[in-house]
Amino acid sequence: MTSTEPKIVVIGGGTGSFTLLSALKNHTKQLTALVNMADDGGSTGLLRDELGVLPPGDIRQCLVALSTASDELRELFNYRFPKGTFGGHSFGNLFLSAVESMTDDFSDAVRIAGDVLRIRGRVMPVTLDDCQLVLQDGGHKIKGQYDITYTERHLNGRPQLSLEPQAALNPLAREAIAEADLIILSPGNLYGSLAPALLVDGIAEALKNSPAQLVFVCNLVNKPQLTRDFAVHDYASEIERFIGKDALDYVLYNNDEPEPELLNTYALDEEFPVRVDLSALEKAHYKTIAGQFLSRAPQQGDANDTLIKRSLIRHDGEAVAEALLKLL
């Protein structure tokens, strides 16, 4: 590959970013993952509380996704201790937190982990400020990404979200956005993974000023707490509420159907596929890309991941990557 490779920025965190980055790294080395820094659930939440470190979990996933190291080393960074003091913690989270504690610099921790994992591309926090996601519902305030995502509630309209304290955009992240040819907003928890990145002070302006096309890869499944009965255009509307009207150029969505057994399993938790309202999409200012973007590969959760629930309905990263690269 040459220096003419497209510069691609992926914004988000969690499983959605992992899936896209794992596929995109096979097509360009000019790849930057900008990761939200509001995660406070599971192993990450415990490390933040006990050590006062920045959240390592989503950063770790993106590092492993871009890794070209051996399978054993990649598995080591994702390995979760099954029991004892470290039960539920991943080795990679502990590694990042240890280096940050040693150097007092989270960026150093990410760089060193990236060297160890021989990543193709870059991983960087969207902000280096210690912040928490906050939801305001009338006079009721809920603080923390995990509680916002998993606490049962009935909201009056769309959730009013903010970061406390307000976080500033990482200068290196601003630079990556300005130089990008394509910017992808990854699928994942809309309010827990993507919104905390888009609420960072300065990112909306950076996205607006970037010459890159801005694409949102829509979620596959709705969550009952905050996105019950959402359609594709609802997700796009919420994203533009955070970053500005008419900000999106493209929205990519899946029109394939999961296996009935998986649908039944998700239905037990009141989780159902994202609806597609074609009439609403035809009226939208952005262009749409529909396709069979559902992975048929067997998915298996980590039996040692006792601290947080994981999704098993996943995107086909390679199919999504191929569709996205056609935009270039």
Side-chain angles (χ1 to χ4, degrees):
M1 291 193 174
T2 69
S3 59
T4 60
E5 291 178 329
K7 294 181 178 179
I8 299 177
V9 171
V10 177
I11 302 176
T15 302
S17 287
F18 178 90
T19 301
L20 290 186
L21 293 169
S22 296
L24 287 168
K25 74 177 180 186
N26 298 320
H27 299 277
T28 179
K29 295 177 184 176
Q30 301 293 318
L31 189 56
T32 301
L34 301 184
V35 187
N36 94 76
M37 297 301 288
D39 187 10
D40 62 358
S43 167
T44 289
L46 293 175
L47 291 170
R48 288 189 76 175
D49 290 343
E50 294 178 6
L51 301 180
V53 295
L54 290 175
D58 286 347
I59 288 280
R60 167 187 53 80
Q61 286 205 68
C62 291
L63 287 166
V64 172
L66 293 180
S67 174
T68 63
S70 66
D71 289 343
E72 291 82 2
L73 189 53
R74 296 173 78 246
E75 289 172 7
L76 173 63
F77 264 71
N78 273 341
Y79 174 77
R80 290 185 183 273
F81 293 89
K83 57 185 178 181
T85 303
F86 298 129
H89 282 296
S90 75
F91 172 81
N93 286 1
L94 296 173
F95 180 95
L96 286 163
S97 297
V99 178
E100 181 186 356
S101 297
M102 181 179 71
T103 64
D104 200 28
D105 189 327
F106 188 68
S107 292
D108 265 356
V110 178
R111 177 184 57 79
I112 292 170
D115 290 343
V116 171
L117 287 166
R118 294 168 50 205
I119 65 170
R120 179 175 291 150
R122 301 181 296 174
V123 176
M124 61 180 67
V126 70
T127 181
L128 291 168
D129 296 330
D130 187 8
C131 59
Q132 284 191 305
L133 186 65
V134 174
L135 183 150
Q136 190 79 38
D137 183 29
H140 188 46
K141 177 188 284 189
I142 302 172
K143 197 167 186 177
Q145 180 260 4
Y146 183 86
D147 285 344
I148 289 170
T149 302
Y150 292 102
T151 300
E152 293 285 351
R153 70 190 62 81
H154 299 283
L155 294 172
N156 298 314
R158 298 291 190 244
Q160 300 303 309
L161 297 168
S162 61
L163 297 176
E164 288 189 6
Q166 181 57 53
L169 183 62
N170 181 348
L172 291 177
R174 184 188 299 275
E175 183 180 296
I177 291 172
E179 296 177 350
D181 298 308
L182 182 67
I183 300 172
I184 303 165
L185 304 181
S186 71
N189 189 301
L190 173 61
Y191 299 120
S193 291
L194 194 51
L198 301 180
L199 290 169
V200 168
D201 190 30
I203 196 167
E205 179 186 12
L207 291 171
K208 179 181 178 181
N209 294 334
S210 174
Q213 297 182 92
L214 182 60
V215 188
F216 168 54
V217 179
C218 191
N219 293 23
L220 298 171
V221 178
N222 286 324
K223 297 295 182 182
Q225 290 84 358
L226 292 173
T227 57
R228 182 187 296 273
D229 203 36
F230 262 37
V232 173
H233 69 276
D234 292 315
Y235 281 89
S237 175
E238 281 296 82
I239 286 171
E240 293 192 329
R241 182 163 68 93
F242 298 131
I243 61 175
K245 184 179 178 183
D246 297 344
L248 293 171
D249 296 304
Y250 289 89
V251 172
L252 181 149
Y253 67 91
N254 171 63
N255 60 10
D256 197 4
E257 181 130 332
E259 298 294 335
E261 295 82 3
L262 270 179
L263 287 175
N264 291 337
T265 299
Y266 273 66
L268 294 175
D269 292 324
E270 297 185 80
E271 297 180 2
F272 302 96
V274 174
R275 293 188 301 107
V276 179
D277 185 335
L278 292 177
S279 62
L281 292 177
E282 287 171 359
K283 298 173 186 175
H285 67 88
Y286 47 78
K287 298 177 182 178
T288 57
I289 305 168
Q292 296 188 339
F293 298 124
L294 194 64
S295 174
R296 296 297 177 183
Q299 303 288 347
Q300 185 168 352
D302 187 339
N304 295 333
D305 190 0
T306 59
L307 298 176
I308 199 166
K309 184 180 177 181
R310 305 293 175 182
S311 171
L312 295 178
I313 294 180
R314 305 278 173 88
H315 281 93
D316 181 333
E318 193 58 41
V320 174
E322 289 178 4
L324 292 171
L325 290 168
K326 289 179 181 177
L327 299 177
L328 296 167

